[in-house]
Amino acid sequence: MSNSPFDDAQGPPAGIAPVFPSVAPASAPAAEARIGDTRNIDSILRIPVLIQVVLGSATMPVADLMKLGRGAIVSLDHRVGEPVDVTVNGRVVARGEIVVVEEDNSRFGVSLTEIVGPAESGQNG
């Protein structure tokens, strides 16, 4: 007969209270909401995230930055037609092409062309 504290097949000895009395035994069905429960998913789906489309970037000395004025053009490292990065909370999740929104010609949008996998997105954010 084993006296191991991990041998719980017989339960705790008589007179000893469980360490975590509020935790139900593994064999008992959980009365609380489970991970797959719709209530938990709905609360997660309502969390706001920041989505950004990175058109490109530029590096310049502060002296050149101070010379910029209205109408100045800053050249970016992306070229016309190259895919842009779509980031969510700072992590690249997709790439796409810039499009003009059909309903409102004064707005731009992104047409997603590639979804970035977890291994690839870890390098960019």
Side-chain angles (χ1 to χ4, degrees), residues 57-73:
S57 61
T59 303
M60 67 175 58
V62 172
D64 291 347
L65 180 67
M66 297 296 291
K67 294 176 189 175
L68 295 177
R70 184 179 204 135
I73 296 175

Side-chain angles (χ1 to χ4, degrees), residues 93-113:
V93 297
R95 291 190 179 87
E97 299 173 346
I98 300 296
V99 296
V100 176
V101 179
E102 290 179 14
E103 299 86 33
D104 182 359
N105 289 336
S106 65
R107 298 178 62 113
F108 292 112
V110 175
S111 174
L112 299 182
T113 57

Side-chain angles (χ1 to χ4, degrees), residues 20-91:
F20 302 106
S22 63
V23 176
S27 62
E32 300 294 323
R34 285 179 260 184
I35 292 174
D37 192 351
T38 334
R39 292 174 290 182
N40 288 341
I41 291 172
D42 287 344
S43 63
I44 290 171
L45 293 177
R46 287 192 302 265
I47 296 172
V49 293
L50 178 63
I51 299 173
Q52 295 178 317
V53 177
V54 181
L55 294 174
S57 61
T59 303
M60 67 175 58
V62 172
D64 291 347
L65 180 67
M66 297 296 291
K67 294 176 189 175
L68 295 177
R70 184 179 204 135
I73 296 175
V74 177
S75 295
L76 302 176
D77 58 356
H78 276 71
R79 298 191 184 279
V80 173
E82 284 184 354
V84 294
D85 291 337
V86 178
T87 66
V88 174
N89 289 342
R91 183 172 302 265

